[in-house]
Every structure is written in structure tokens, then in C-alpha cells.
């Protein structure tokens, strides 16, 4: 069977990850996060960005050491066996499956300002109308076609999208800053950081305001590592480098947004912030400031930015399903490649299931809140796997080696668990449904013999059950939409102790791995033919 080829330079992979990261998050997160945390949302971005850097550092070591397509599926298989691999790859696939529809949803929400027939409001939430579903299908098909027709065409198109979207965003920051900046709008920051409620809002803004999602694109570098060249440069640049670059951009956009608001709009409180065009906050600001040319460019970028991110999510999601097929979790035909070395059947299946995502999760923020509760569980595998593989494979070459690994890995794992907790009980409760469906599919695969697993391998994954149950239990008892039995402040200590216990359990139950196991995997993925440096 044909293999995916190593054809992505460090710059190409970096631009792909940047394009995937800067999608609908910049369109909506500055508004939604500010409505939650007020002007103190600046701290939300700093916390979210710092945590994303820690998490991306762990994946940088893993993906450079194990450069395979769909690393989210393969890495836990090596560290904790098939059950852990299936559980985490299933969650990662569900997440990635929804990301392209989220970006399409963002495009249509913006477009509905000019074409109201695309959407209608149900209980205060913008929902796709019949014409909206038609255009959603058209846009999803377009993203899929671009992914299977031509590799060179995909790369060139991605480059043009990056140049345009970043040019418009930087221009928007400069022009809006120049037109109006009101320092008084930031007056509440000091008050917020002096109160328990203020910090609770800041943390909630990280998880439920779209900030975590805004940094999610770095995972594209993990899924595409099997097609990257010069790993010691490409992987850290496309993961950590992409996060740092986008953090500066997001901070500029958020400061610009807050400073440009008319103080009269804040008299009713940040949670009631509304203005003409608030479905697209930067368009509303530019319109109010009379920046006609910028309004037109923002409308164009409101289409291009999310579609650019959606294009990359289609690419990365197909690699996860491709890897799951290669391992045996899903049918083998999903790992077939076309002449352009794209997993075409994986893309077709993802499109079909992705269209269904518009039905149960209407509205951009409705999709985002569900996703964040799941995405951080897949993030958690990064720090755990780094520590496990440092113990089982100490002599394996690491093109990028994480400094102070134990400290950074614990901090990253702790941040993952905090993110999950901050999404709130209502959102985490829904996650159990998706997990139950995934467990059912795993049992079917095991019964059919497509997944082989020994008793020892099953024991290696037992830490996952108390981990997921613990996250759900702490959320239920906690202060973010739960029973408030674990009060705010004490919950940080509880989650820290919980993180230590789970991390210790995961290390103790790791798979006994050797270099030959890794070599066999890399050969099967065609990853030994290219030098890692």
C-alpha cells in the first residue's frame, strides 16, 4: 500500500499550523471572552497562551521523536497500548471532526449579516436555516476537494490565505487603534484581580470564551509530522512557534477591541455588551468608527480566515482517521491513498459525519463549549507520554529534547485538567455520551479481532478510567456550574493532587517498550527513509 510522503518543509508546516490556528477564534473570542471576564480578559489570554506553550512543548518532543501521520493515535499506543490509544484517538477524531464545521459555521454567521436567509435565531442562538445548510454543504465539499486534488495547489492556496488573513488582521489593529482608544475601558482590570469572582470569570473566559480553541491549531503539526522534513526545526516551529506568534496577535486584537468600545456600551455591564453587528464584533466596531474600507476587508477576511483554518482541519482530521485505520480501529479502506498521496476515503467519511455536526450543536459557541471539554483530554496525553517514553526509551534519539521535562510535563498536565474543569459541569456531562459511543466501537473492533490486546495491555490503560471519572466527578462537585461542594480556591488544590495521582498511575502502568517496537512503527509508516534532522 502507498505511504504518505515527506514533502513539507519547516516553513510549509509552520504556515499550515498558523492557518489552522487563526480561524473563527479571532472573529468571536474577543467578544465572547470579554463578555465573561470584562477587561480582565487580557489575563485570560495570557493564561491560555502560557498553558498552550507548555502543552505544545511536550508534543514537540513527541512528534519529532515519533514523526508519524496521526500522532494522536500512535503515541498513546506506544506508551499505554491499544485501549488507551483508541480512547484518546477516538476523542481526538471527534474533536477534529467538528472543527471544520465550526469554521464553516463562523463564515455563515458573518455572512448572515448581509444575507439573513442563511440563519435564524432560536432561543437567542443563531441557527442555520435551509439555505444555510445548503451553503454549509457546499463549503465543506470545497474544502474536501482542495484536499484531494493537488498537494502543490493546497500549499500555494494556504500561503495566499495566510498572507491575506494576517495582513487584514494587522491592518485592523492599526486602524482601529488610531481611530479610537479609550484607556478608561480597562479600569475594571484591577478590581477584577482583587476579587474571587473576578478570577473565576477570568478562568471561565479561558475555557468557554473560545481562547483554548484559538490555540488548538498547533495539533495540526502533530498529525502532519509524518509528512515533515527537518524535524528538529519543523516540529518545534510548527507547534511552539505557532502558539507564540498567535498569542501576540490575539493580545493585539483583544486590546484593540476593548480600547475601541464606546464607553456607553458598557454601562449595562460587560455581560450585556451588544452593538449593531455584534455577531461580527470587529465589523461592528469598524462600522461605528466609519472605517468603510476596513469593513469590506473584514467581511472578506471573515470568510477567508475560517475557511483557511477549516482547510487545515480537514487535512489533519483525515490523518487521524488514516492512523486509526492503519492500527485497525476502523475499516482498512480508510487508509487508502489517491495518486496525490491523500487519504481520500478518510476525507469523504469525515465530510459525511461532519455535516451531521450542524444538527445537534447549533451556533458557534454551542460547538466550542462542547469541544473544549474533550480537547484537553487529548492534550493531556502529551505530558504523560513524554514522561513515560523518557523512562522506557531513554536512548531513543530526540531531534527536539524538552528541558526540565518533569516540571514542564506536570505543569502542562495540570493546565489540561484546569481547562477541562473550567468548561463547567453542563458541558463535561455531555462528554460522557461521546465516550460511551467510542467504547462501544472499541468493543466491536475487539470482538471482530481487528484490535488485539493482551491482559497486560489492558492493565496499562486502566489509569484512563479513574482519570475521566475523576474529571467528571470534580466538575460535578466544583464551583463552575457544579454543586459548589469543592469551592473556588480549594478546587485548585484538589485538581493539583488529582493530577499528581493520575500522573503517577499513568507512569506506573506504562507499556514496556523497546527500540525495535518504535522502529517497526516508523518502518510501517515510511518514516525511516528521511533523516530526522
Amino acid at each position: 500500500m502507498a505511504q504518505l510522503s515527506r514533502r513539507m518543509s519547516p516553513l510549509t508546516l509552520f504556515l499550515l499550523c498558523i492557518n489552522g490556528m487563526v480561524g473563527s477564534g479571532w472573529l468571536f473570542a474577543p467578544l465572547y471572552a470579554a463578555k465573561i471576564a470584562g477587561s480582565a480578559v487580557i489575563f485570560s489570554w495570557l493564561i491560555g497562551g502560557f498553558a498552550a506553550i507548555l502543552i505544545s512543548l511536550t508534543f514537540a518532543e513527541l512528534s519529532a521523536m515519533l514523526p508519524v501521520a496521526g500522532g494522536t493515535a500512535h503515541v498513546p499506543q506506544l506508551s499505554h497500548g491499544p485501549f488507551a490509544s483508541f480512547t484518546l484517538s477516538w476523542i481526538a477524531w471527534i474533536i477534529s471532526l467538528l472543527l471544520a464545521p465550526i469554521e464553516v459555521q463562523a463564515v455563515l454567521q458573518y455572512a448572515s449579516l448581509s444575507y439573513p436567509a442563511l440563519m435564524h435565531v432560536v432561543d437567542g442562538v443563531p441557527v442555520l436555516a435551509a439555505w444555510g445548510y445548503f451553503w454549509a454543504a457546499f463549503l465543506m465539499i470545497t474544502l474536501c476537494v482542495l484536499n484531494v486534488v493537488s498537494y502543490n495547489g493546497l500549499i500555494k492556496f494556504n500561503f495566499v490565505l495566510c498572507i491575506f488573513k494576517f495582513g487584514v488582521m494587522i491592518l485592523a489593529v492599526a486602524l482601529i487603534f488610531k481611530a479610537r482608544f479609550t484607556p478608561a475601558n480597562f479600569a475594571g482590570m484591577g478590581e477584577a484581580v482583587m476579587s474571587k469572582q473576578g478570577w473565576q470569570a477570568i478562568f471561565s473566559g479561558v475555557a468557554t470564551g473560545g481562547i483554548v480553541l484559538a490555540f488548538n491549531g498547533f495539533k495540526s503539526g502533530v498529525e502532519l509530522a509524518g509528512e515533515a522534513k527537518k524535524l528538529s526545526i519543523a516540529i518545534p516551529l510548527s507547534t511552539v512557534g505557532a502558539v507564540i506568534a498567535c498569542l501576540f496577535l490575539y493580545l493585539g486584537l483583544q486590546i484593540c477591541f476593548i480600547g475601541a468600545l464606546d464607553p456607553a456600551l458598557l454601562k449595562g455591564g460587560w455581560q450585556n455588551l451588544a452593538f449593531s453587528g455584534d455577531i461580527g464584533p470587529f465589523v461592528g466596531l469598524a462600522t461605528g468608527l466609519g472605517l468603510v474600507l476596513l469593513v469590506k476587508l473584514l467581511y472578506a477576511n471573515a470568510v477567508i480566515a475560517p475557511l483557511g483554518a477549516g482547510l487545515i482541519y480537514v487535512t489533519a482530521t483525515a490523518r487521524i482517521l488514516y492512523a486509526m485505520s492503519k492500527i485497525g480501529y476502523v475499516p482498512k479502506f480508510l487508509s487508502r491513498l489517491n495518486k496525490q498521496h491523500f487519504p481520500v476515503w478518510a476525507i469523504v467519511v469525515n465530510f459525511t459525519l461532519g455535516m451531521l455536526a450542524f444538527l445537534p450543536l447549533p451556533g458557534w459557541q454551542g460547538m466550542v463549549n462542547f469541544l473544549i471539554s474533550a480537547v484537553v483530554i487529548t492534550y493531556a496525553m502529551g505530558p504523560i507520554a513524554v514522561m513515560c517514553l523518557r523512562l522506557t526509551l531513554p536512548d531513543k534519539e530526540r531531534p527536539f529534547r524538552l528541558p526540565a521535562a518533569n516540571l514542564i510535563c506536570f505543569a502542562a498536565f495540570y493546565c489540561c485538567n484546569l481547562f477541562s474543569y473550567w468548561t463547567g459541569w453542563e458541558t463535561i456531562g455531555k462528554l460522557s455520551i461521546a465516550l460511551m459511543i467510542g467504547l462501544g466501537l472499541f468493543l466491536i473492533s475487539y470482538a471482530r479481532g481487528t484490535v488485539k490486546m493482551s491482559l497486560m495491555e489492558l492493565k496499562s490503560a486502566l489509569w484512563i478510567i479513574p482519570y475521566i471519572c475523576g474529571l467528571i466527578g470534580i466538575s460535578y462537585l466544583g464551583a463552575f456550574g457544579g454543586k459548589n461542594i469543592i469551592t473556588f480556591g480549594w478546587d485548585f488544590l484538589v485538581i493539583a493532587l488529582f493530577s499528581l495521582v493520575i500522573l503517577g498511575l499513568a507512569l506506573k502502568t506504562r507499556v514496556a517498550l523497546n527500540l525495535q517496537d518504535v522502529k517497526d512503527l516508523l518502518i510501517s509508516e515510511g518514516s525511516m527513509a528521511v533523516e530526522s534532522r
Side-chain angles (χ1 to χ4, degrees):
M1 184 180 291
Q3 301 286 354
L4 292 171
S5 58
R6 292 197 172 277
R7 50 191 173 180
M8 295 184 183
S9 68
L11 180 59
T12 295
L13 191 59
F14 173 73
L15 291 177
L16 285 169
C17 291
I18 285 283
N19 201 13
M21 200 174 298
V22 182
S24 57
W26 86 272
L27 297 175
F28 297 106
L31 171 63
Y32 290 143
K35 292 179 75 167
I36 296 169
S39 58
V41 71
I42 303 299
F43 294 107
S44 299
W45 282 104
L46 290 171
I47 292 168
F50 178 71
I53 290 170
L54 293 178
I55 296 166
S56 63
L57 279 168
T58 66
F59 280 99
E61 174 168 317
L62 291 171
S63 296
M65 180 177 70
L66 301 168
V68 293
T72 298
H74 285 298
V75 168
Q77 183 191 26
L78 290 173
S79 66
H80 288 91
F83 182 68
S85 171
F86 180 85
T87 302
L88 293 166
S89 60
W90 167 258
I91 295 173
W93 177 61
I94 291 294
I95 293 164
S96 298
L97 189 67
L98 293 176
L99 289 172
I102 279 181
E103 303 303 337
V104 169
Q105 178 88 11
V107 171
L108 295 175
Q109 281 191 213
Y110 248 87
S112 67
L113 291 171
S114 299
Y115 303 100
L118 293 173
M119 308 197 80
H120 59 279
V121 178
V122 178
D123 297 328
V125 178
V127 177
L128 291 176
W131 272 110
Y133 282 111
F134 170 81
W135 281 104
F138 175 79
L139 293 174
M140 289 284 288
I141 290 173
T142 301
L143 295 178
C144 292
V145 169
L146 288 170
N147 259 281
V148 300
V149 173
S150 167
Y151 169 76
N152 289 331
L154 173 66
I155 299 305
K156 291 176 182 178
F157 187 58
N158 178 74
F159 178 77
V160 172
L161 288 181
C162 282
I163 295 299
F164 180 82
K165 73 162 66 172
F166 277 93
V168 172
M169 293 164 74
I170 293 170
L171 181 64
V173 171
L175 291 180
I176 293 176
F177 260 127
K178 183 178 179 181
R180 181 167 64 201
F181 186 79
T182 308
N185 291 348
F186 296 86
M189 289 181 64
E191 194 175 310
V193 298
M194 296 300 291
S195 69
K196 182 168 71 173
Q197 292 79 11
W199 277 109
Q200 194 165 352
I202 289 169
F203 297 136
S204 183
V206 175
T208 63
I211 290 175
V212 172
L213 181 70
F215 291 108
N216 185 61
F218 83 84
K219 281 293 293 296
S220 298
V222 177
E223 313 308 347
L224 296 171
E227 297 165 74
K229 299 184 290 186
K230 298 182 180 179
L231 297 172
S232 61
I233 300 173
I235 301 302
L237 180 65
S238 62
T239 52
V240 185
V243 170
I244 293 173
C246 287
L247 173 59
F248 282 106
L249 181 62
Y250 290 143
L251 283 172
L253 287 165
Q254 187 67 72
I255 294 170
C256 161
F257 175 75
I258 294 173
L261 288 171
D262 184 344
L265 296 174
L266 302 177
K267 289 182 178 179
W270 284 95
Q271 68 276 13
N272 296 315
L273 175 61
F275 51 87
S276 177
D278 67 352
I279 198 169
F282 284 98
V283 169
L285 281 177
T287 301
L289 295 172
L291 303 173
V292 179
L293 178 59
L294 181 59
V295 169
K296 294 179 180 179
L297 289 173
L298 285 171
Y299 268 121
N301 206 21
V303 173
I304 290 173
L307 288 183
L311 180 68
I312 307 310
Y313 287 137
V314 169
T315 306
T317 307
R319 272 54 177 186
I320 297 176
L321 197 57
Y322 167 87
M324 292 174 72
S325 175
K326 294 273 284 186
I327 296 171
Y329 300 151
V330 293
K332 286 293 183 183
F333 78 91
L334 293 171
S335 60
R336 293 176 186 168
L337 305 177
N338 66 359
K339 293 180 180 179
Q340 297 291 333
H341 296 276
F342 288 118
V344 61
W345 284 109
I347 291 172
V348 170
V349 169
N350 285 338
F351 160 76
T352 304
L353 297 176
M355 284 303 301
L356 298 177
F358 292 106
L359 299 176
L361 295 170
W364 186 85
Q365 197 168 22
M367 287 183 169
V368 167
N369 289 346
F370 172 79
L371 278 183
I372 298 308
S373 65
V375 75
V376 293
I377 294 179
T378 65
Y379 285 172
M381 195 63 234
I384 288 174
V386 167
M387 295 183 71
C388 287
L389 295 179
R390 283 283 184 98
L391 293 173
T392 54
L393 297 174
D395 299 323
K396 176 72 174 72
E397 180 186 7
R398 288 167 169 80
F400 172 79
R401 191 175 184 89
L402 179 65
N406 289 344
L407 179 61
I408 290 178
C409 285
F410 173 74
F413 185 58
Y414 181 47
C415 288
C416 289
N417 298 332
L418 287 174
F419 284 168
S420 180
Y421 173 68
W422 292 338
T423 59
W425 162 244
E426 182 180 353
T427 302
I428 290 181
K430 297 175 182 177
L431 181 61
S432 60
I433 298 174
L435 294 177
M436 290 300 293
I437 295 172
L439 178 60
L441 289 177
F442 179 82
L443 292 175
I444 292 172
S445 298
Y446 181 73
R448 292 177 57 192
T450 54
V451 176
K452 300 185 184 301
M453 180 175 56
S454 66
L455 180 61
M456 184 61 68
E457 288 174 322
L458 178 61
K459 290 181 179 179
S460 295
L462 288 181
W463 64 273
I464 291 180
I465 296 174
Y467 176 50
I468 294 176
C469 290
L471 287 177
I472 294 172
I474 293 172
S475 178
Y476 178 75
L477 298 173
F480 287 77
K483 296 296 184 180
N484 203 32
I485 295 173
I486 303 175
T487 57
F488 183 74
W490 285 104
D491 46 10
F492 282 84
L493 178 60
V494 170
I495 293 172
L497 294 174
F498 170 72
S499 300
L500 276 174
V501 170
I502 296 299
L503 196 55
L505 186 60
L507 289 171
K508 187 175 181 179
T509 59
R510 68 188 184 276
V511 167
L513 197 64
N514 58 58
L515 288 174
Q516 186 59 45
D517 296 325
V518 177
K519 185 177 180 180
D520 291 343
L521 171 64
L522 295 179
I523 290 174
S524 70
E525 292 295 311
S527 301
M528 298 294 288
V530 178
E531 292 183 2
S532 61
R533 293 185 183 275

